Amino acid sequence: MNCKNTLLSGAVLLCLAAPAFAADTDVKIVLNEELENVEPCMASQSNIGRVILQNISETMTELNVKNGDLMPRLATSWEDQGDGTWRFHLREGVKFSDGSDFTAEDVKHSIERTLSKDMTCEIGAKYFGGMTITPTIVDDHTIDIKSDPAQPILPLLMSTLTIVPKSTPMEFTREPVGTGPYVLANWDPGQSIELDRRDDYWGDEPAVTKATYLFRSDDAVRAAMVQTGEADIAPLISQTDATNPETDFSYPNSETTYLRLDTSIAPLDDVRVRKALNMAVDREAFLGTLIPDTAEVATHMTVPTTLGADEDLGVPPYDPDQAKKLIAEAKADGVPVDKEILMIGRRGNFPNVTEVMEALQQMFGDVGLNVKLQMVDVAEWVKYYSKPFAAEPEPSIVEAMHDNNRGDPVFSMYFKYACDGLQSGICNEELDQEIADATGTSGEGRGDAWRKVFRKVAELSPDVFLFHMVGYSRVSQRLDFTPTIATNSELQLSQIKFKN
C-alpha cells in the first residue's frame, strides 16, 4: 500500500498506525514480588536485582554465566599486585545518569558506602563479610583494592558491587543514579516501576526503549498475562503453567530453598531438635507435586557444581519415628520441645510456596513440634531473615531461597553461617575459623577448605535444606530472549531483542 497517495480515511488510519506497531520497543515484565526499595546496595536481593542490576546500576566486572568467564564492565582490566591488592583500570568516557563523570572516586565511595556500618547493605554483608576492603585511588581511572585476608577471587567479588556516584548519601536512596543504560522514570509502590532508556549510555544502545514492571503474586495470572499480550515476560511461573513450548522455558536457577533455624533460642538450640526437623520432612513427596520434578534435593547451601561441594554429604532421611525419639530424648533432658515455634514464609518467593509451607507445618506437627506458620510479604520477611531477627525472643524458622551462581562458596558461607553473618542463625567459633581459613585459601587447597566447612555445617544442622530449584519463565513470541541461570536474580534489558 502506498500510504502517501492513499485518500481513504480508513486506509490512512491504518497507515498511520502501522509504524507505531512496528516500532513497539517497549516491554512489560510481570514479577511475582513487589520491591520494598530501589537501593543499589540491596541489588543482591532477587526482587530488587531483577529491576535495577546492570539496568540502572552496573558493576566493575561481570560473570558470563554461559561459560564462567569474568568479563569487563566498568573496569576494562585488572591485575594482581600481590599482598592482597588488585589494580583495576576503569572505563573512560562513562557518565552517570545525573551527568557526572565516572571516576575512581565513585568506586572508592561505592565500596565505603556498601561496607559502611552506618548502613545495612545486603551486598556488603553477603559478599564482603569477614574481610576488610581498602580502596586506594591511583588516578582518575585507576584504583587499587586491597583485601585482608587476601582474596584470590577479588575480581569476581567486584562483579557484585554496584557503583554509585560519590555524591550518593550514606543512606538508602529512592532515586538511584547509575551508569547503566536505563534510568528510573517512575515508581508507584505496590503498582509498577518504569525504566526509560538513556540516550547517553556509554555502551551499545539496547533495543528496549522502555520497561514497565508490574506485580502479580498469582502464578497463573502472570502466565496468562504473557499469553494474552498484557505482558511480555514473566520471569517466574509455575511448572503447571509452563505448558506452551513456544513461549515457556525451564532453567536451573542456582537457588537453594531451605529453612533457617535460629539456634540461639530453645528448643532450636538443641541439635537433636534440629536433626528431628530434618528427619520430619518427606522431601521426595514434594517433587513432581508442589515442587518441579526436575528440582534436586538440597544437601548444601550452594548448588552441587560449587567449589568444594561434597557428594558424600546428604540430608537426614525421612524418618518421623526417629524424629519423635530425638524430640523425646531432648524433652527428657529438660528441653522445652512443646514451646511454640514461629515459622515465617515469604509470599511469592517461588510457585506454590504457601502450599509447601503448610505441608511442612503439618510434617513438623506430626512428629510432635508446635509450629505456627505465618506468611508475609518480602518487606516484612526481611525483618525476620536479617539481624536483628524480629522474632526474638521467640524461637523461629524462616523460609528462604539463596542464589549463588558464581561458583565459589565465599558468596554464601560467611553471611549465612558466621557469628556476625547478617542472616546466620548459628554462632560456632570452630565454624567461624573454618570459614575464615577457606576464604583466604587459594589454589588447589581452596576446594578442600570449603569441603571442610560444608561438613561442619552438616554436623551442626542449623538449616533444613529442601531443594536446588528449577525455574520456569514465559516469554512473548515477539521477543528474542532466553532465560538463563541468572534470570532469577537479574534481568538485563539490554539482552532483550525483538523478532522481525
Side-chain angles (χ1 to χ4, degrees):
M1 179 185 298
N2 186 337
C3 292
K4 183 176 180 179
N5 296 323
T6 298
L7 297 178
L8 296 175
S9 59
V12 170
L13 289 174
L14 180 61
C15 290
L16 291 173
F21 178 82
D24 186 5
T25 52
D26 295 356
V27 297
K28 288 186 178 180
I29 300 170
V30 57
L31 302 177
N32 56 310
E33 293 180 298
E34 299 176 11
L35 277 66
E36 69 274 25
N37 64 66
V38 288
E39 165 55 51
C41 79
M42 295 295 290
S44 58
Q45 193 171 300
S46 59
N47 62 324
I48 299 170
R50 277 191 293 260
V51 176
I52 71 173
L53 187 57
Q54 310 297 15
N55 294 325
I56 294 176
S57 299
E58 296 183 293
T59 55
M60 298 266 282
T61 63
E62 181 180 0
L63 181 68
N64 186 330
V65 296
K66 295 181 180 179
N67 59 21
D69 290 345
L70 192 61
M71 305 183 297
R73 190 89 185 198
L74 291 178
T76 57
S77 62
W78 47 90
E79 61 264 357
D80 188 355
Q81 302 291 101
D83 193 32
T85 299
W86 287 78
R87 176 162 292 179
F88 291 84
H89 302 277
L90 308 180
R91 194 176 298 278
E92 299 186 30
V94 174
K95 288 185 178 294
F96 287 96
S97 58
D98 65 358
S100 61
D101 292 327
F102 164 66
T103 70
E105 289 188 22
D106 303 302
V107 175
K108 182 176 185 293
H109 177 72
S110 297
I111 292 172
E112 293 171 347
R113 182 177 183 270
T114 301
L115 276 58
S116 171
K117 293 181 180 180
D118 296 331
M119 298 175 60
T120 303
C121 288
E122 184 167 302
I123 288 175
K126 183 174 183 178
Y127 300 130
F128 295 92
M131 65 185 80
T132 300
I133 302 294
T134 305
T136 302
I137 295 173
V138 178
D139 58 41
D140 279 354
H141 293 94
T142 310
I143 187 167
D144 288 346
I145 302 177
K146 179 180 174 62
S147 60
D148 183 18
Q151 295 299 311
I153 62 167
L154 185 64
L156 181 60
L157 279 166
M158 298 311 292
S159 71
T160 69
L161 183 79
T162 46
I163 302 301
V164 297
K166 59 182 178 292
S167 59
T168 308
M170 301 292 276
E171 59 186 27
F172 276 17
T173 179
R174 290 179 58 87
E175 298 178 354
V177 174
T179 59
Y182 294 87
V183 295
L184 179 64
N186 184 59
W187 178 23
D188 185 3
Q191 300 299 318
S192 65
I193 288 179
E194 295 177 0
L195 303 188
D196 285 347
R197 189 178 69 189
R198 288 177 57 185
D199 294 329
D200 59 345
Y201 178 57
W202 62 264
D204 295 335
E205 183 179 77
V208 174
T209 52
K210 184 185 190 70
T212 300
Y213 298 85
L214 306 171
F215 310 107
R216 301 290 185 273
S217 60
D218 188 275
D219 303 316
V221 168
R222 294 195 303 278
M225 287 177 69
V226 178
Q227 182 178 345
T228 60
E230 293 180 73
D232 295 291
I233 302 177
L236 189 63
I237 64 172
S238 169
Q239 180 187 23
T240 58
D241 294 312
T243 56
N244 186 347
E246 299 296 322
T247 60
D248 302 340
F249 300 84
S250 66
Y251 58 95
N253 65 8
S254 73
E255 292 276 10
T256 299
T257 304
Y258 72 107
L259 305 178
R260 196 278 315 283
L261 314 178
D262 186 348
T263 68
S264 67
I265 301 174
L268 299 178
D269 61 346
D270 193 290
V271 71
R272 291 168 296 187
V273 175
R274 301 198 298 269
K275 290 185 180 294
L277 283 164
N278 271 280
M279 292 179 178
V281 179
D282 186 357
R283 294 167 177 81
E284 297 294 336
F286 286 101
L287 295 174
T289 53
L290 295 176
I291 299 293
D293 55 10
T294 48
E296 299 180 41
V297 171
T299 58
H300 296 61
M301 179 61 70
T302 57
V303 294
T305 55
T306 304
L307 182 71
D310 190 341
E311 62 182 16
D312 293 329
L313 278 183
V315 291
Y318 174 55
D319 191 340
D321 291 336
Q322 181 61 24
K324 292 176 183 177
K325 290 180 181 178
L326 288 173
I327 292 170
E329 288 177 13
K331 184 174 184 178
D333 289 339
V335 178
V337 297
D338 297 327
K339 189 175 183 179
E340 184 179 84
I341 302 171
L342 178 63
M343 184 163 68
I344 300 295
R346 175 175 161 181
R347 289 195 191 104
N349 197 198
F350 58 86
N352 303 319
V353 61
T354 299
E355 292 79 3
V356 167
M357 295 303 293
E358 290 171 346
L360 289 169
Q361 180 189 28
Q362 181 65 49
M363 291 176 182
F364 296 148
D366 288 345
V367 299
L369 292 172
N370 180 15
V371 175
K372 175 186 176 182
L373 175 62
Q374 185 175 340
M375 299 298 296
V376 299
D377 292 330
V378 61
E380 185 70 15
W381 169 86
V382 169
K383 299 175 185 177
Y384 291 93
Y385 191 40
S386 297
K387 293 178 179 176
F389 302 143
E392 293 180 350
E394 291 183 77
S396 66
I397 299 171
V398 179
E399 167 270 323
M401 288 205 304
H402 172 58
D403 174 21
N404 183 342
N405 60 24
R406 288 175 166 82
D408 193 287
V410 76
F411 295 97
S412 305
M413 305 307 285
Y414 182 88
F415 87 114
K416 293 297 186 186
Y417 294 115
C419 290
D420 291 333
L422 180 66
Q423 294 165 356
S424 172
I426 193 166
C427 182
N428 180 276
E429 291 184 1
E430 184 178 344
L431 178 58
D432 264 21
Q433 187 59 54
E434 291 179 1
I435 292 172
D437 291 344
T439 298
T441 301
S442 60
E444 295 181 359
R446 189 174 179 86
D448 290 337
W450 282 121
R451 193 168 293 110
K452 185 178 180 182
V453 174
F454 285 129
R455 290 173 180 170
K456 186 64 176 179
V457 169
E459 174 189 326
L460 296 172
S461 295
D463 312 292
V464 177
F465 290 130
L466 296 172
F467 307 102
H468 299 308
M469 303 292 278
V470 173
Y472 291 84
S473 295
R474 175 163 287 180
V475 180
S476 168
Q477 288 183 275
R478 79 185 187 99
L479 302 186
D480 180 5
F481 173 74
T482 302
T484 70
I485 194 172
T487 299
N488 193 63
S489 55
E490 65 179 61
L491 205 171
Q492 295 193 41
L493 298 173
S494 60
Q495 296 175 351
I496 298 173
K497 304 293 188 294
F498 296 90
K499 296 178 182 177
N500 294 327

